[in-house]
Amino acid sequence: YTGGNRLFAGLLFLLFGLMIFLGLLKGPRQVLKDYGAILRSSGISGTDYLKEFGHSPVMLNMGINGIFAVCFVLAVGGDLNGPTIGGILTIVGFSATGKHLRNIAPIMAGVLLGSFTKEWAINDPSPLLALLFSTTLAPVAGEFGVLAGLLAGYLHSSVALNVGIVYGGMNLYNNGFAGGIVAIFLVPVIQSIRDRRARAKGRLSL
């Protein structure tokens, strides 16, 4: 579906703006402090912001991530429709368990960079979904930094759009599968480089 950006953007901005308002309603100073702690977390598996910080900071995080995702889709010329809104709401939902602005932005930027070097356009339907669901790799950026996040997003943009031939379209969770492949390959490489640097500086024994 195309042509509904103005309507859907207005509704989504209203929803996410309300989340931010409700998040800040009870003690803005403490909520912002807790949100800062959320931004400093890596978002690795097992993270539970709701349990650790309570409802208000999580609502704030959800609202901010939602607005960022909508703005990103609009900025690249994408359409707000059923699949893309589903992808945006997926980011919002997982904002309670590991996703935040600091670890999703590098991943999404990496997918955008991929569009400049490959034959597909970022606002085509499949790449747009890869852009949104690439945030499954958010913990890579949270744990290893912005450059690792950019690389993870870049690799994901290739894997997600080509791995379907491996299973003939039978796996309906294509982006999650692609994200797993990227993580299996990338994380050990990054950890190996980190260990080598630590040994070179004498901070890690053989």
Side-chain angles (χ1 to χ4, degrees):
Y1 178 78
T2 61
N5 281 8
R6 181 174 296 181
L7 171 63
F8 290 135
L11 292 173
L12 290 171
F13 284 140
L14 180 63
L15 172 63
F16 300 139
L18 181 61
M19 286 182 172
I20 293 174
F21 173 76
L22 292 175
L24 293 172
L25 195 59
K26 295 182 178 180
R29 181 175 297 180
Q30 183 60 44
V31 171
L32 289 173
K33 182 180 178 181
D34 290 338
Y35 178 66
I38 287 176
L39 290 177
R40 291 190 295 272
S41 71
S42 65
I44 60 174
S45 179
T47 299
D48 188 341
Y49 296 140
L50 189 62
K51 183 177 180 180
E52 189 172 354
F53 299 106
H55 291 82
S56 295
V58 170
M59 289 290 284
L60 177 62
N61 189 41
M62 285 178 154
I64 290 174
N65 287 353
I67 288 176
F68 174 78
V70 173
C71 289
F72 208 112
V73 170
L74 295 176
V76 300
D79 289 299
L80 293 173
N81 50 36
T84 55
I85 291 174
I88 291 167
L89 293 178
T90 298
I91 293 174
V92 172
F94 280 97
S95 297
T97 58
K99 293 185 181 182
H100 52 72
L101 192 59
R102 191 176 64 83
N103 65 11
I104 66 172
I107 303 293
M108 295 173 73
V111 177
L112 179 60
L113 286 176
S115 69
F116 297 129
T117 62
K118 296 162 189 176
E119 60 184 16
W120 44 263
I122 190 65
N123 56 1
D124 290 339
S126 293
L128 205 56
L129 290 181
L131 169 71
L132 294 168
F133 289 114
S134 67
T135 54
T136 188
L137 291 163
V140 174
E143 179 69 18
F144 300 111
V146 173
L147 291 179
L150 288 170
L151 179 59
Y154 185 90
L155 293 175
H156 181 88
S157 69
S158 293
V159 176
L161 296 176
N162 291 284
V163 76
I165 195 172
V166 175
Y167 51 80
M170 294 298 291
N171 181 3
L172 299 182
Y173 194 43
N174 182 68
N175 275 278
F177 182 64
I181 291 175
V182 173
I184 288 171
F185 164 75
L186 189 59
V187 171
V189 172
I190 295 174
Q191 288 177 331
S192 177
I193 293 172
R194 176 184 281 186
D195 290 347
R196 286 176 180 272
R197 287 181 175 177
R199 290 192 187 98
K201 294 179 181 180
R203 294 200 299 244
L204 188 68
S205 63
L206 294 176

